Amino acid sequence: MDEINSHPEYLPSFLELLRVLPEEAFNYKISARPDRRRQFEKELASAMEVALSILTACLNFNEFKEQILEAFASWLRLRHRIPASMLASNPLVLTALSSLTSDVLSEASVNVISELIHYTAARYSDGVSSQLPLIQVIVPQVMNLKPQLRDPSKDEEDVKAIARLFADMGDSYVELIATGSDESMLIVHALLEVASHPEFDIASMTFNFWHNLQMILTDRDFFISSGNEASIEAERSRRLQIFHPSYESLVALVIFKVQYPADYAELSREDQKDFKQTRYAVADVLIDGALVLGGEATLKILYMKLVEALSCCGKDSSTDWRPAEAALYCIRAISDFVSVVESEIMPQIMSLFPKLPHQPQLLQTVCLTIGAYSKWLDASSSGLSFLPSVIDILVSGMSISEDTAAAASLAFRHICDDCCKKLCGSLDGLFQIYQRAVIGESTFKVSAEDSLHLVEALSKVITELPSEHAKKALEALCLPAVAPLQEIISQGPLVLGQKTARELTVHVDRLANIFRHVNHPEAVADTIHRLWPLFKAIFDLRAWDMRTMESLCRACKNAVRTSKRFMGVTVGAILEEIQGLYKQHHQPCFLYLSSEVIKIFGSDPTCANYLKILIESLFSQTTCLLTRIQEFTSRPDIADDCFLLASRCIRYCPQLFFPSPIFPPLVDCSMVGMTIQHREASNSILNFLSDIFDISKSSQGEIYLPIRDNVIVPRGPSITRILVACLTGALPNSQVETVTYALLALSRAYGVKTLEWAKETVSLIPSTAVTELERSKFLQALSNAQLGKDINDLKLPIEELSEVCRRNRTVQEIVQGALRPLELHIVTVS
């Protein structure tokens, strides 16, 4: 500082250093230990007043004002407590505020004011009242910028900067604003001004504020200080009434943001994707509006906009359909908040639908809106009268384009789901629509994926039929899927073997959906029993084909899930089939189907012998397949489904699993694969081990502890070492939480033994990588786990050890070289 006046040429680099120093506290690319990072932040905080005095002295050099303010903003991000009254009169603050009024808006001054706003809102024990001296200086200066939001001469970047300050004030002072005082309403009006800006990037800056304000206004707990229940409700209602006009204006403003651009068809795919994201964001704002105003009041505003739009949109699709589509999109967005017995607006909207032109995008939104109000069509007294006309619209939608067909199919599913009781008498007509779509009639444009919506739709209606009628209807529902499969099989094994997977799965997937959604257990059990010869033919000849096997196993799984014990005989045949095929083809879906059977039949004593043979066969085959980490890496799906099945066995048939000779090899197998770099497979293995460690928590778990301990204790040192290796870099950072839980579960199960194993493990890590203090904190956390302390309190020292060992590649390699997890799966067990 003493030399600045004599060497002003050094000032730019000096200011750059001052700016960068506090930024480094939040730079996690630097491989600093957590303790050192915290210490560095404290050092900076203690030097803050010195730094600000230096920056203040530098203000004499006017040409460096921008750099000085950027450095000031950087120090403010530390959130170190300097009294608001001192900051309010600080020359740096006053310089930033005065820069707001200059013709060219200073980016640095905007950054400073933004940081000051966040600074005053930081949650500290001294409360917001202590920040008022600074708030009272900032807010009036920012409010003076409001006219510039509409100033056409202003550069867009300047308008964006001003909008950002208003948005920051809204986000930071939302609790103060929620009081509804006259001063706070001035900020609300300014935020409405920002929300009305034609540029979405600017308008959307306020969306977070409207959401947070809604959360406060609708949260009873926020008003608890008002006293008794009546006072709380009265205060809440008073506040809601204050903000009603603001949210009404907001709803009316944002409708225009969702209107299709005139040149939408010419937009790039990326721009079209951005437009969809804009519509989703506006839908969220409309939901906030509906929560404050109520669904019916919001619907009324949107309906008036729809009527206004329709006045210039005739039956001819060449007229401008976009404003009407935008209004309908908004009406659809708030469907969950409109009462199902609303009787004023909804009947009028439903009456309008048949009069609208069949312009593809408009028709798509009409179909989706019909689907969104399916519960209203079911519950409303006038809903039944609209069903024929809306179903006609959906049928039209299925014929216009692939997009309208997709929307119509989804809406058809919603209507059949919610209005199934009303539609039972119209099953013949629904079947006609279903058959046209599924058979692929030329005028229909329903894709194979979307046809599954129609399958589900009819399944929901059949569920409402009496069981004697349901069986016949189920047969008719399955026929369009069964007939093509029978035709293929009748042509002989060669033809069946040569078909593409898609030619088979399109039909099997439909059967899978039927078995999932027709809730008539006996009827579904009879159907799968009748179809088993057909399924067996596909299993026998296509067992090599993963896609077909996945589809077929999904159909069987859904049938098992729906029919449960009614499927007794057929389940035996299915499991016998997959047990034999797994030996040759090792399809992971066979394991997944078995896990569903275990869930339902695992506790049934009559199935015990068969299930024991099944799981021993499947697990012995899998453990022979997965003997090295490379084999896990090449078949992660098998590893994933194998250990999911093992966890299911622990949960649903521990009496079969723990005494089985397959239990020890499966634990060894998990140790081989624990470091697999595949998230789902890694989770399944770690969860399997955690389930073993936690077995004493289950109702009957105590009786299996001696068996468990005989297997785990001899392997304990190796398991601990592999887990610590996973924690410190053998697995990605995203897996740390799952590894931490497994380590803590091991500690709870084996107490002092785990601590000994862990001490032995961390002693292998060189002191260049981990300090003694970091080691002892980690071991203390494991020790505290035995005492039953809260898991959240134990996580920090474990996660810090992970962070320290991953702080750079060199350290990570040193740690992994010391622990060598891949060499630990060969265990000598006496």
Side-chain angles (χ1 to χ4, degrees):
M1 269 304 297
D2 294 337
E3 297 188 24
I4 276 178
N5 290 326
S6 52
H7 294 285
E9 68 274 14
Y10 298 150
L11 192 55
S13 30
F14 179 57
L15 289 170
E16 180 68 8
L17 183 62
L18 276 176
R19 181 183 67 80
V20 167
L21 266 176
E23 287 178 357
E24 294 308 290
F26 309 106
N27 182 358
Y28 286 86
K29 289 181 182 176
I30 297 171
S31 58
R33 286 182 158 84
D35 279 345
R36 174 60 193 135
R37 189 177 296 283
R38 285 191 288 267
Q39 185 189 348
F40 179 65
E41 203 171 330
K42 282 179 186 172
E43 287 169 9
L44 289 171
S46 65
M48 188 164 178
E49 288 183 29
V50 176
L52 297 196
S53 67
I54 293 171
L55 289 170
T56 302
C58 291
L59 285 172
N60 294 326
F61 299 90
N62 197 48
E63 65 271 30
F64 298 121
K65 186 170 72 175
E66 198 80 356
Q67 261 189 288
I68 295 163
L69 291 176
E70 284 293 2
F72 180 38
S74 187
W75 283 88
L76 285 172
R77 285 183 199 110
L78 289 173
R79 303 283 186 268
H80 175 59
R81 296 287 82 197
I82 291 179
S85 54
M86 282 177 63
L87 276 175
S89 57
N90 186 288
L92 291 162
V93 174
L94 299 176
T95 301
L97 288 170
S98 65
S99 299
L100 293 180
T101 58
S102 60
D103 290 339
V104 179
L105 196 62
S106 155
E107 185 183 343
S109 62
V110 170
N111 289 340
V112 168
I113 305 304
S114 177
E115 289 303 331
L116 285 167
I117 290 167
H118 295 307
Y119 187 91
T120 56
R123 302 291 185 267
Y124 289 99
S125 57
D126 51 0
V128 78
S129 57
S130 64
Q131 301 301 319
L132 282 176
L134 188 52
I135 292 172
Q136 285 164 352
V137 168
I138 296 168
V139 173
Q141 293 288 340
V142 176
M143 291 303 296
N144 288 338
L145 299 173
K146 184 183 169 188
Q148 296 185 35
L149 288 168
R150 284 184 175 268
D151 185 347
S153 66
K154 270 287 170 191
D155 177 72
E156 189 182 307
E157 288 305 310
D158 283 354
V159 174
K160 198 175 280 189
I162 294 166
R164 174 188 155 199
L165 292 178
F166 281 113
D168 283 343
M169 283 204 309
D171 292 340
S172 300
Y173 305 145
V174 64
E175 289 184 13
L176 283 174
I177 292 168
T179 59
S181 66
D182 292 344
E183 294 84 355
S184 68
M185 294 312 291
L186 294 173
I187 298 176
V188 173
H189 295 147
L191 287 163
L192 279 171
E193 192 82 44
V194 176
S196 70
H197 197 278
E199 281 296 324
F200 181 75
D201 287 349
I202 292 174
S204 61
M205 288 180 182
T206 67
F207 288 2
N208 197 50
F209 162 75
W210 299 113
H211 174 68
N212 290 335
L213 180 59
Q214 172 270 120
M215 294 281 283
I216 291 171
L217 295 174
T218 55
D219 182 6
R220 180 192 166 279
D221 291 346
F222 189 76
F223 303 98
I224 212 149
S225 60
S226 300
N228 58 33
E229 199 61 44
S231 303
I232 289 171
E233 198 48 47
E235 179 58 17
R236 187 168 161 272
S237 298
R238 185 188 75 81
R239 301 270 191 99
L240 283 168
Q241 285 305 313
I242 290 171
F243 288 98
H244 263 218
S246 302
Y247 275 91
E248 285 170 355
S249 300
L250 179 68
V251 168
L253 282 172
V254 295
I255 294 175
F256 303 104
K257 311 285 182 197
V258 302
Q259 188 169 306
Y260 271 93
D263 61 345
Y264 179 77
E266 282 78 55
L267 294 179
S268 67
R269 183 171 292 183
E270 201 58 41
D271 286 342
Q272 288 185 354
K273 191 176 170 185
D274 288 345
F275 176 64
K276 282 188 177 176
Q277 293 303 320
T278 295
R279 282 163 70 101
Y280 297 150
V282 170
D284 288 340
V285 175
L286 289 165
I287 288 168
D288 291 325
L291 285 164
V292 172
L293 300 170
E296 287 75 12
T298 311
L299 181 67
K300 193 172 284 190
I301 296 168
L302 297 173
Y303 174 65
M304 296 311 293
K305 294 288 180 184
L306 175 63
V307 170
E308 189 182 308
L310 288 175
S311 63
C312 53
C313 173
K315 187 84 177 170
D316 178 10
S317 61
S318 64
T319 57
D320 193 3
W321 50 271
R322 296 174 307 125
E325 190 280 336
L328 278 175
Y329 177 87
C330 296
I331 287 168
R332 173 188 156 216
I334 62 157
S335 58
D336 288 345
F337 305 93
V338 176
S339 167
V340 292
V341 292
E342 198 281 335
S343 57
E344 182 189 347
I345 304 295
M346 279 313 301
Q348 296 181 67
I349 292 173
M350 289 290 170
S351 302
L352 287 173
F353 285 152
K355 301 169 189 172
L356 296 176
H358 283 186
Q359 193 282 335
Q361 279 127 323
L362 177 58
L363 181 57
Q364 183 181 356
T365 301
V366 167
C367 292
L368 291 172
T369 306
I370 289 169
Y373 284 91
S374 55
K375 285 183 169 60
W376 180 88
L377 286 164
D378 178 52
S380 170
S381 56
S382 57
L384 183 60
S385 64
F386 290 112
L387 276 176
S389 63
V390 297
I391 288 175
D392 284 346
I393 292 168
L394 298 184
V395 172
S396 298
M398 291 177 201
S399 310
I400 300 292
S401 71
E402 284 188 15
D403 287 341
T404 59
S409 303
L410 180 62
F412 189 78
R413 188 194 87 194
H414 285 311
I415 285 181
C416 289
D417 190 0
D418 289 319
C419 308
C420 47
K421 288 185 171 67
K422 286 183 166 69
L423 291 170
C424 283
S426 310
L427 205 53
D428 290 344
L430 298 178
F431 261 116
Q432 284 178 17
I433 298 168
Y434 166 71
Q435 285 165 337
R436 286 172 68 190
V438 170
I439 292 166
E441 187 187 290
S442 57
T443 58
F444 269 29
K445 294 182 167 62
V446 180
S447 69
E449 286 75 19
D450 292 323
S451 72
L452 295 177
H453 291 312
L454 282 86
V455 171
E456 185 179 334
L458 271 288
S459 301
K460 296 289 187 181
V461 177
I462 289 171
T463 294
E464 292 303 315
L465 296 175
S467 19
E468 61 274 15
H469 295 143
K471 194 170 180 182
K472 188 178 176 185
L474 178 57
E475 198 172 318
L477 187 63
C478 292
L479 190 59
V482 171
L485 291 172
Q486 287 174 329
E487 172 66 24
I488 292 168
I489 290 166
S490 69
Q491 294 173 43
L494 191 62
V495 173
L496 177 57
Q498 289 174 341
K499 290 287 181 186
T500 64
R502 176 74 173 165
E503 289 174 277
L504 299 169
T505 59
V506 69
H507 307 299
V508 178
D509 285 346
R510 286 169 184 159
L511 292 171
N513 257 33
I514 291 168
F515 297 154
R516 180 182 176 185
H517 296 292
V518 173
N519 193 11
H520 278 284
E522 281 190 82
V524 170
D526 288 347
T527 301
I528 191 87
H529 182 69
R530 184 168 48 80
L531 293 178
W532 175 242
L534 183 146
F535 278 20
K536 188 176 187 309
I538 301 173
F539 268 124
D540 287 342
L541 287 164
R542 300 286 297 211
W544 50 269
D545 173 8
M546 182 182 282
R547 175 69 189 88
T548 301
M549 288 301 100
E550 283 176 351
S551 180
L552 207 51
C553 285
R554 193 180 306 115
C556 294
K557 177 201 75 176
N558 288 345
V560 169
R561 215 175 249 181
T562 298
S563 300
K564 296 185 171 63
R565 302 188 185 244
F566 287 110
M567 260 189 75
V569 179
T570 320
V571 159
I574 292 170
L575 294 182
E576 190 176 342
E577 181 76 10
I578 63 171
Q579 187 179 323
L581 292 174
Y582 187 70
K583 290 175 184 173
Q584 187 179 349
H585 297 285
H586 306 124
Q587 295 287 9
C589 54
F590 295 164
L591 299 169
Y592 183 65
L593 174 55
S594 301
S595 74
E596 193 61 37
V597 173
I598 290 290
K599 183 179 176 182
I600 290 161
F601 294 93
S603 58
D604 188 339
T606 61
C607 303
N609 287 337
Y610 192 80
L611 291 180
K612 184 174 185 295
I613 293 166
L614 171 77
I615 63 174
E616 287 181 4
S617 169
L618 295 177
F619 286 139
S620 62
Q621 289 289 319
T622 308
T623 52
C624 290
L625 270 179
L626 304 173
T627 57
R628 297 177 305 136
I629 189 64
Q630 291 85 348
E631 288 156 354
F632 275 83
T633 303
S634 65
R635 294 301 304 269
D637 43 0
I638 285 188
D640 182 19
D641 287 323
C642 167
F643 288 99
L644 279 174
L645 172 60
S647 282
R648 280 271 169 96
C649 291
I650 292 170
R651 220 159 292 146
Y652 295 103
C653 56
Q655 76 282 2
L656 304 180
F657 181 73
F658 282 106
S660 166
I662 199 60
F663 175 44
L666 201 57
V667 172
D668 290 336
C669 186
S670 73
M671 292 165 66
V672 178
M674 220 187 297
T675 57
I676 185 173
Q677 305 296 297
H678 182 280
R679 187 181 179 86
E680 285 75 21
S682 169
N683 277 340
S684 295
I685 293 168
L686 291 166
N687 289 336
F688 161 69
L689 288 169
S690 297
D691 289 342
I692 293 172
F693 305 150
D694 285 339
I695 189 62
S696 59
K697 289 182 179 179
S698 65
S699 54
Q700 302 291 316
E702 294 286 340
I703 60 176
Y704 307 113
L705 292 184
I707 302 173
R708 180 198 72 175
D709 294 349
N710 284 339
V711 173
I712 298 297
V713 171
R715 295 166 174 79
S718 295
I719 290 174
T720 307
R721 192 159 145 189
I722 299 170
L723 283 170
V724 172
C726 290
L727 182 76
T728 56
L731 282 181
N733 204 38
S734 57
Q735 295 295 90
V736 166
E737 190 173 346
T738 315
V739 177
T740 299
Y741 184 86
L743 262 172
L744 293 174
L746 182 66
S747 298
R748 286 192 296 269
Y750 291 104
V752 176
K753 283 193 179 75
T754 306
L755 207 55
E756 289 168 4
W757 300 333
K759 271 181 188 169
E760 189 183 328
T761 295
V762 295
S763 69
L764 298 171
I765 303 174
S767 55
T768 52
V770 175
T771 65
E772 202 52 50
L773 179 63
E774 287 154 352
R775 259 188 268 265
S776 64
K777 280 183 178 179
F778 170 73
L779 294 170
Q780 187 60 49
L782 297 186
S783 177
N784 289 341
Q786 304 160 30
L787 307 173
K789 292 200 175 177
D790 182 23
I791 190 168
N792 293 317
D793 297 335
L794 306 175
K795 279 181 180 178
L796 185 62
I798 295 175
E799 287 170 358
E800 284 199 354
L801 181 77
S802 174
E803 188 185 328
V804 162
C805 293
R806 295 169 187 266
R807 64 185 186 271
N808 61 39
R809 184 168 293 185
T810 305
V811 172
Q812 195 165 323
E813 285 172 358
I814 289 169
V815 173
Q816 294 305 306
L819 297 178
R820 303 192 306 282
L822 294 178
E823 297 173 23
L824 296 176
H825 59 272
I826 301 167
V827 186
T828 305
V829 182
S830 55

